[in-house]
Amino acid sequence: MSGPTQGFGPRGLRRGAALTLVFASVLATAAATGALPRDDEKGGDLKTRAVASTVDRDTVAHAAAKALADGKSGTEAAEEVVSRSGDRWGAVYDEREYEEFEQALDGTYTGVGLAAKRSADGLVAVARVQRGGPADRAGIEPGDLLRTVDGRRMDRRPVSEVVALLRGDRTGAAAGTTVALGVQRGVTGRTRTLTLTRARLTTETVTVRTLGAKQSGPDRSNSSAAVLIKVDSFTKGSGARIRRAVRNAPAGAGVLLDLRGNSGGLVSEAVVAASTFLDGGLVATYDVRGEQRALYAEPGGDTVRPLVVLVDGGTMSAAELLTGALQDRGRAVTVGSRTFGKGSVQMPSKLPGGSVAELTVGHYRTPAGRKVDGHGITPDLAVSSRALLRAETVLSGLGGGS
């Protein structure tokens, strides 16, 4: 979809990740410390004491105020200070960027309802089309090539730039504005121009499907099917959708929880997801400016169904917190490759001129006290290829079908 997409390169990765990696629950001291009142903090790997940002809010705010007094951009001045600070995940956003960020966390975005990817020959292709969205109604299909956007050729442009154009990020385009796409069906097909109207769309971050049951045993009776739950990110309501999928799964069916490529999101939603599989207990610990805190699962989760969690190098932040909790608590077998290793806590602060700075203030740890930031989570079974097939095999061995 044309929702939040990670950029490439150090600056793009930092800003892109900061737009999607958000830690849950507001600090009681937010008003006193100048942090924005909100229901999330960015997730991270907890240390035994606060790991303060290498630049504090007052320094960034002073730079923004001075730039504004000199007739310059406060946002750019603040961004320069943060970029020089060594705070890997610190970032500054203007008012519109931050508004889009918070809307994305609510599971909505302005766009045309398609996800883009790099094709094998370096072109920009449609990866997914959101059902009922503008792209779907226009007849665009996965695999189509995006050759132009508003007359500009997209060949070999960064996917993040293409997504920004689809959303209208650079022009301030809102729902109801139009964008003209040059779409080609197949490498030899004719390019047709389609004019789509941008809309406010709801992201589909959780998808569920039942993997076919196999015939087994002398009587050839069906073994239990497995349920595959793919979670792309943790936006508002993601945890409840995971819980509903598990409750509606066939009796005896195991669960494959696919967190590959999950860029993170609201940790409050990751805790709800953890509560689906745990009967209370610790999910993670973290610190914010020296104050120790903990996240706990709600009691009453399903602790019986066999569970396998799929991860890879794109599994980040809140998704790593969930993985670490299920692994440390012995609730799941994890399969795939080492996760990304983003485990720092950022807090948002409003700056003069209306921009927002998010600065690192702490880290989180898994229930067993493992550090995630810069380390990631190592899966129980390391798999470099055919990970889903291997995960199905593991689940079958646990008695969960597939």
Side-chain angles (χ1 to χ4, degrees):
M1 303 160 213
S2 49
T5 299
Q6 311 314 111
F8 296 97
R11 181 177 181 274
L13 178 60
R14 182 174 65 248
R15 289 174 62 85
L19 285 176
T20 52
L21 311 179
V22 181
F23 202 64
S25 61
V26 70
L27 289 180
T29 57
T33 59
L36 291 178
R38 54 191 287 170
D39 63 356
D40 54 77
E41 301 162 18
K42 283 193 188 161
D45 170 19
L46 179 72
K47 296 184 183 298
T48 56
R49 58 185 180 83
V51 180
S53 168
T54 52
V55 59
D56 59 41
R57 173 189 176 276
D58 290 342
T59 301
V60 179
H62 176 74
K66 185 176 185 303
L68 290 170
D70 293 339
K72 299 177 182 179
S73 169
T75 301
E76 291 181 2
E79 187 174 47
E80 183 176 356
V81 172
V82 173
S83 67
R84 291 178 176 178
S85 71
D87 186 344
R88 183 185 181 194
W89 297 108
V92 179
Y93 308 98
D94 63 32
E95 288 183 276
R96 185 176 183 278
E97 286 177 325
Y98 206 71
E99 180 183 357
E100 286 290 328
F101 160 46
E102 293 195 308
Q103 289 174 345
L105 290 173
D106 284 336
T108 62
Y109 68 98
T110 299
V112 298
L114 63 81
K117 66 178 181 179
R118 180 72 57 202
S119 68
D121 52 3
L123 302 178
V124 178
V126 176
R128 290 193 311 277
V129 177
Q130 183 166 335
R131 186 170 54 187
D136 184 34
R137 295 195 298 271
I140 296 175
E141 298 179 0
D144 287 350
L145 299 176
L146 295 177
R147 305 310 300 264
T148 63
V149 175
D150 285 334
R152 285 178 282 183
R153 293 196 67 83
M154 294 294 106
D155 296 357
R156 307 188 188 285
R157 290 201 184 201
V159 172
S160 56
E161 181 179 340
V162 176
V163 170
L165 291 170
L166 293 173
R167 289 169 52 92
D169 287 346
R170 299 183 179 182
T171 59
T177 60
T178 60
V179 57
L181 306 185
V183 181
Q184 181 180 348
R185 180 68 49 80
V187 293
T188 60
R190 179 178 61 87
T191 299
R192 54 195 175 120
T193 300
L194 302 172
T195 300
L196 278 60
T197 301
R198 296 183 179 95
R200 290 301 299 174
L201 300 170
T202 301
T203 56
E204 298 175 339
T205 59
V206 179
T207 55
V208 183
R209 67 186 176 96
T210 301
L211 302 178
K214 296 180 180 180
Q215 300 292 322
S216 63
D219 60 355
R220 308 296 290 173
S221 61
N222 284 337
S223 62
S224 299
V227 175
L228 174 64
I229 304 175
K230 174 74 171 110
V231 188
D232 292 326
S233 62
F234 287 101
T235 57
K236 192 173 182 178
S238 296
R241 287 191 285 274
I242 295 169
R243 176 178 288 170
R244 187 162 53 248
V246 172
R247 287 178 176 173
N248 293 338
V255 173
L256 283 171
L257 184 62
D258 190 350
L259 301 181
R260 292 175 298 176
N262 185 310
S263 54
L266 293 166
V267 171
S268 55
E269 296 295 332
V271 172
V272 174
S275 301
T276 301
F277 303 103
L278 298 171
D279 186 15
L282 188 63
V283 173
T285 55
Y286 66 103
D287 66 75
V288 175
R289 298 192 179 103
E291 184 175 348
Q292 294 287 331
R293 298 175 180 234
L295 298 168
Y296 294 95
E298 295 178 2
D302 187 332
T303 60
V304 177
R305 283 186 195 275
L307 175 63
V308 172
V309 179
L310 274 164
V311 296
D312 65 5
T315 304
M316 304 173 69
S317 192
E320 292 179 282
L321 181 149
L322 174 58
T323 302
L326 295 176
Q327 187 183 56
D328 281 3
R329 299 281 302 275
R331 180 60 187 90
V333 176
T334 53
V335 176
S337 54
R338 183 189 295 269
T339 63
F340 182 84
K342 196 283 178 182
S344 56
V345 182
Q346 278 74 45
M347 282 295 294
S349 299
K350 195 165 186 177
L351 303 175
S355 57
V356 176
E358 295 218 334
L359 306 175
T360 300
V361 296
H363 294 80
Y364 74 70
R365 289 187 183 276
T366 69
R370 290 185 295 161
K371 178 179 179 180
V372 176
D373 202 49
H375 295 265
I377 301 290
T378 300
D380 301 310
L381 176 61
V383 176
S384 58
S385 63
R386 300 172 66 84
L388 179 57
L389 181 60
R390 294 292 298 277
E392 288 186 62
T393 302
V394 170
L395 188 64
S396 179
L398 296 174
S402 78

